Amino acid sequence: MPLHSCQRLSPTAVLGLWQLTETPETLWPLLPQPAAYQALMPATADAARQAQWLAGRVLIHALLPQLMAEPPTDLVVHNDATGRPWLAGNGHGLTMSLSHSGTWVAAVLSLGGRVGVDIEIIRDKAQRLAGKFLAADEWAAAQAAAADGPAHYTLLWSAKETLYKLAAQRGIIFKTQLLLGDFAPQQSGEIPATLVLAGVETRHCICYSQPAPGYVLTYCHEPAA
């Protein structure tokens, strides 16, 4: 299906969701410069992975007109050494973040600043691995607050994934450098977060919602100063 939703986060940023129903064959014609993307497609990706990869790039190109009256025609989504996507070409300082899980693809596109987004299928994996990515106080709070264990722990994992993408650095330890504050779990809301890099703590706000049954979405947008 086409673009599922587009939400304006600020005058300079948009959040887009794509519900993936297409095959790779039907997604290719939706991309500009398909030859450039054919050279970037991961060689080991199976058909499902190819569809997610392509849908993410189609989504970014679908969001561009929301921020630019006449988007440059030479823009191509690449990945840097940390795996973070970026737009090669005359991108005018555009920043972006991409995520996909199951049949959903999410993206945040911004004119500068920092962004992060993550979408996850709700499952029990995050709860089983909680001790590996949650600090002791986070784990204690989750055990006390989680009425729906898998959904709550998936939300916590997703929030840390979004903060990790915002940091855009490799080697970050989720348990000690990506910290989540107290919040009352709801269908949608905000989670206070702290990023610890080189001994310096910075404060952030992670927004969350459930865009579809069985999924959780988190994102963060911080405009350029």
Side-chain angles (χ1 to χ4, degrees):
M1 65 179 296
L3 178 66
H4 178 270
S5 63
C6 179
Q7 177 185 347
R8 177 74 64 167
L9 302 180
S10 76
T12 59
V14 290
L15 165 69
L17 289 174
W18 188 284
Q19 188 173 13
L20 182 57
T21 59
E22 303 88 350
T23 64
E25 290 74 20
T26 55
L27 287 166
W28 276 115
L30 302 180
L31 278 174
Q33 303 193 66
Y37 281 109
Q38 285 173 349
L40 297 171
M41 168 71 75
T44 59
D46 60 16
R49 186 74 173 178
Q50 287 180 25
Q52 290 176 329
W53 189 90
L54 289 166
R57 282 132 189 89
V58 170
L59 175 55
I60 289 295
H61 285 283
L63 294 177
L64 282 168
Q66 301 294 323
L67 296 179
M68 309 175 77
E70 296 183 5
T73 59
D74 64 339
L75 295 179
V76 175
V77 179
H78 286 252
N79 293 89
D80 66 16
T82 70
R84 181 178 59 172
W86 62 283
L87 280 163
N90 191 18
H92 299 286
L94 286 164
T95 57
M96 56 177 288
S97 184
L98 270 173
S99 180
H100 51 70
S101 186
T103 59
W104 286 90
V105 181
V108 175
L109 185 65
S110 175
L111 289 169
R114 297 197 298 177
V115 295
V117 69
D118 186 68
I119 192 164
E120 299 281 347
I121 295 176
I122 294 172
R123 49 186 177 177
D124 64 0
K125 181 179 179 180
Q127 187 170 4
R128 289 188 283 107
L129 298 178
K132 295 184 180 297
F133 70 90
L134 291 180
D137 59 338
E138 294 171 336
W139 200 0
Q143 290 174 314
D148 182 349
H152 188 70
Y153 285 92
T154 301
L155 170 60
L156 298 179
W157 168 258
S158 182
K160 291 205 173 192
E161 275 285 320
T162 284
L163 192 58
Y164 173 76
K165 292 179 179 180
L166 192 80
Q169 291 189 27
R170 285 197 179 277
I172 289 177
I173 301 172
F174 278 41
K175 195 171 183 176
T176 59
Q177 293 180 265
L178 308 176
L179 305 176
L180 304 178
D182 294 333
F183 70 104
Q186 304 175 66
Q187 286 294 107
S188 62
E190 299 178 347
I191 304 173
T194 300
L195 176 62
V196 183
L197 293 177
V200 177
E201 297 185 359
T202 54
R203 302 292 186 264
H204 308 272
C205 181
I206 309 297
C207 300
Y208 69 89
S209 64
Q210 292 189 6
Y215 286 83
V216 64
L217 170 73
T218 61
Y219 60 90
C220 183
H221 162 56
E222 297 179 347

